[in-house]
Amino acid sequence: MPSPADRTKTVSIIIPVCNEAATLPAVLASCASLQPFEIIVVANGCTDGTEEIARRFGCTLISDPEPLGNDVGRAVGAAAAKGDILLFLDADFAIAADTLAAFLAPLHQGAADVVLNDFNAFFHKKHCPHTITVWRQVFNEILGRQDLVIDCILSVPHAMTREALAQIGVQSLANPLLAQALLMKSPLRIAHEMSIDVITPNRFRPLEHGHTEPGLPRAEKRMIGDHVAALAAVLEDPRGGFMDGGRRRDLMQRLAAGLDDIPVTSAGWGVTSSLYHGKQLSVIIPVQNEQKTIGEVIRQARKIEPLEIIVVVNGSTDATAQIASSLGAKTVVYPDALGNDVGRAVGAKMAQGEILLFLDGDFALPPKDLFPFCHAIATGTDIALNDLDYYLNLRFPLHIVTALKYAVNLALDRKDLGVGSMVAVPHALSRRAVDTIGWLPLLSPTMAQVKGTLAGLYVRNVHRVDVDLLNRIRPDQHFSSAGYAPAVARIIGDHVEGISQLIAERGERGGLYDGNRNWERVRDLRM
């Protein structure tokens, strides 16, 4: 344990408790060995001997007869604290005093303003990541702090100087992710080099952590909701400042307003099919300089009997349009690039079929990999997605794009979809889905998926196609000497836009469980 000379600042320890009589004595004994200025126990809704134990140890006791809800006790205790450093602990398990002293050392030495528990080893562990691990990763990355990986004040222990708390406001502690966001957006120095195992000793609470009902457990819904609420509070625009992929939203708005017509240059070929229970198929393929592949893409698509194949050529300088037209595609030609995914929206607006299958023009897929998506729509599915769930166990840690796909589905309480996403092809939509979502939102695939899911459309993963092995590499989009590659930055922005849509439709928490927090108790808190 560092000597008293190394501990130049006073320490307040804040411990929220609710019926922790079995574990609190060991926790307080460890805390007392640290020789803090004060130990503040915020007892809320206790019906056992928790409060008597706190008094016996000489703690400052703040007592509320009713439960305050998750995390509110931290804010209440912090508002009463007088120390230079505030250390936050849980009462579930004790942490050795020498470990806590080492953890606080950067604050005593003036080397940091905030100290977080380091979960780096857990992040790199080879296993399918926990839902909250995924959200911690995407949250830190969306807010520009990839260096923090998954480290977060959701986990104890964490500590900060009194001055740091004054900057973010004591009320923010009632939602730890809001506090985290404010810390990350500030110039405060965050240390996260010391790892303390808090997962192994953590107490299991069946009502919070158990999975006895459909959907996510309550604790996971609450923590994901906390992330969503924090983003709602701090995002300055719906895409979080991430690039939009050069999408010509202006042209699409003109098209939607009836000010422009779609420049169709070839009417195209098609057949009336009996494969789809009386429904007809439209295949939509946006392309840009795909003369090497578009011919085979069309030839394979014709084998599943589409009513029409719509090829939206944009920004091409090669023979893509001529090849598409010669093979019987309904060909649309925009001389300038429309930006990613805009061609899908144009094709959806034109499509006459009840089944819309979306493909890319840079690789051909055989009918066996196309028909399952069309058949799913024909038999009642509204949004049929590529089943890429194996990605969750393919690479460790998760690539940010994979993590984001999973995170958005989790926020929709659709863990069953895994990383199923309208970002990936092939996918298919029903006519009902297009009418419900609208054709224009399809230019931002994640936003469209969120809209469709919230509207109650039947969404599911139907078939696995390993598109990563087929996708064309574009160095200008897929590589970068610094920061995110342009394609990655765009896809991050698409998912932030999807989260923003969730917030717009379901409120700041995305409709997720709040942890029964007593916000009245928080509202008037001051340091």
Side-chain angles (χ1 to χ4, degrees):
M1 183 183 299
S3 69
D6 296 325
R7 290 180 273 130
T8 58
K9 300 174 182 177
T10 57
V11 176
S12 294
I13 301 176
I14 295 108
I15 310 172
V17 294
C18 181
N19 291 336
E20 310 283 4
T23 53
L24 187 60
V27 172
L28 295 180
S30 174
C31 291
S33 298
L34 196 62
Q35 299 178 356
F37 175 74
E38 60 186 346
I39 301 173
I40 300 174
V41 172
V42 183
N44 58 113
C46 290
T47 57
D48 61 0
T50 294
E51 295 187 10
E52 290 74 15
I53 293 168
R55 292 189 187 95
R56 189 167 72 243
F57 274 84
C59 301
T60 299
L61 178 65
I62 300 174
S63 179
D64 278 87
E66 299 296 327
L68 295 174
N70 287 91
D71 307 302
V72 173
R74 297 185 187 184
V76 170
K82 301 295 190 295
D84 302 316
I85 294 170
L86 282 67
L87 170 63
F88 296 88
L89 300 176
D90 282 348
D92 291 4
F93 52 86
I95 300 173
D98 57 347
T99 300
L100 291 174
F103 182 77
L104 295 175
L107 300 179
H108 281 294
Q109 296 162 3
D113 305 298
V114 181
V115 181
L116 303 178
N117 196 352
D118 177 26
F119 273 59
N120 193 51
F122 187 74
F123 179 63
H124 288 90
K125 187 176 179 181
K126 293 184 177 181
H127 65 161
C128 181
H130 189 273
T131 59
I132 307 307
T133 300
V134 171
W135 258 99
R136 291 169 113 169
Q137 176 189 358
V138 302
F139 185 81
N140 286 350
E141 294 218 24
I142 287 170
L143 295 180
R145 290 300 301 267
Q146 301 95 312
D147 58 304
L148 292 179
V149 194
I150 61 170
D151 296 343
C152 172
I153 68 169
L154 268 179
S155 299
V156 293
H158 58 266
M160 65 187 72
T161 64
R162 187 174 184 79
E163 291 78 9
L165 182 57
Q167 286 195 40
I168 65 172
V170 69
Q171 294 175 343
S172 70
L173 295 177
N175 177 355
L177 277 305
L178 176 58
Q180 173 90 355
L182 295 174
L183 289 172
M184 292 192 296
K185 291 174 70 68
S186 77
L188 294 166
R189 300 163 299 164
I190 303 175
H192 57 120
E193 286 75 36
M194 184 172 175
S195 178
I196 300 173
D197 179 18
V198 295
I199 295 175
T200 303
N202 198 25
R203 176 180 164 190
F204 178 75
R205 291 177 168 84
L207 289 178
E208 291 292 312
H209 305 132
H211 198 181
T212 59
E213 299 176 359
L216 295 168
R218 287 203 312 181
E220 293 176 34
K221 289 181 181 179
R222 167 176 52 81
M223 287 184 277
I224 293 172
D226 287 351
H227 285 88
V228 173
L231 290 175
V234 302
L235 287 178
E236 296 178 0
D237 71 79
R239 294 184 60 84
F242 289 91
M243 63 183 297
D244 194 29
R247 292 184 173 104
R248 293 299 306 272
R249 295 182 187 244
D250 57 330
L251 290 181
M252 294 303 99
Q253 292 291 348
R254 289 182 58 84
L255 186 61
L259 300 175
D260 292 337
D261 295 322
I262 296 174
V264 179
T265 62
S266 175
W269 156 96
V271 297
T272 300
S273 177
S274 59
L275 290 177
Y276 306 112
H277 304 280
K279 299 175 182 177
Q280 300 305 313
L281 169 65
S282 296
V283 178
I284 297 161
I285 313 169
V287 291
Q288 182 180 21
N289 291 332
E290 312 284 8
Q291 65 178 16
K292 294 181 179 179
T293 54
I294 188 60
E296 187 61 17
V297 174
I298 292 172
R299 280 187 282 270
Q300 294 298 325
R302 287 183 68 160
K303 296 179 182 180
I304 57 171
E305 300 184 6
L307 176 70
E308 59 188 352
I309 298 176
I310 302 170
V311 176
V312 182
V313 185
N314 64 110
S316 284
T317 56
D318 65 2
T320 298
Q322 293 90 324
I323 295 170
S325 179
S326 71
L327 291 173
K330 183 179 291 185
T331 308
V332 176
V333 178
Y334 284 90
D336 298 324
L338 295 176
N340 289 89
D341 309 302
V342 178
R344 298 183 188 179
V346 173
K349 178 173 173 57
M350 296 174 59
Q352 299 177 47
E354 294 87 6
I355 303 166
L356 284 70
L357 175 67
F358 296 86
L359 305 177
D360 281 351
D362 50 1
F363 54 85
L365 295 172
K368 70 179 181 64
D369 285 330
L370 301 178
F371 181 73
F373 297 92
C374 308
H375 180 263
I377 301 299
T379 54
T381 301
D382 290 306
I383 302 178
L385 302 175
N386 194 349
D387 186 358
L388 299 175
D389 267 10
Y390 75 104
Y391 277 26
L392 292 175
N393 292 288
L394 183 63
R395 303 184 187 97
F396 306 98
L398 295 185
H399 187 277
I400 183 58
V401 170
T402 302
L404 280 161
K405 291 175 180 178
Y406 192 27
V408 169
N409 286 333
L410 291 170
L412 293 167
D413 200 12
R414 288 299 306 272
K415 187 177 182 179
D416 60 296
L417 292 178
V419 297
S421 172
M422 285 175 58
V423 170
V425 293
H427 65 263
L429 302 180
S430 67
R431 173 57 55 188
R432 183 169 88 108
V434 176
D435 291 344
T436 300
I437 298 168
W439 66 268
L440 187 57
L442 297 178
L443 59 78
S444 183
T446 309
M447 180 180 72
Q449 184 172 333
V450 169
K451 284 177 67 69
T453 304
L454 293 179
L457 295 175
Y458 181 26
V459 185
R460 67 185 183 98
N461 299 335
V462 301
H463 180 66
R464 170 178 161 182
V465 183
D466 291 331
V467 290
D468 266 7
L469 301 176
L470 304 169
N471 203 22
R472 175 179 162 191
I473 298 298
R474 293 176 169 84
D476 63 321
Q477 290 295 308
H478 298 140
F479 299 102
S480 175
S481 57
Y484 295 114
V488 174
R490 167 179 52 81
I491 294 172
I492 295 174
D494 288 352
H495 286 80
V496 177
E497 190 171 9
I499 295 165
S500 296
Q501 183 67 34
L502 172 62
I503 293 166
E505 292 198 36
R506 290 287 175 89
E508 66 174 17
R509 296 186 61 82
L512 293 167
Y513 172 63
D514 182 51
N516 296 321
R517 291 180 172 103
N518 184 341
W519 290 107
E520 289 295 325
R521 190 73 168 82
V522 175
R523 191 165 292 117
D524 296 326
L525 291 177
R526 300 290 185 274
M527 291 180 64

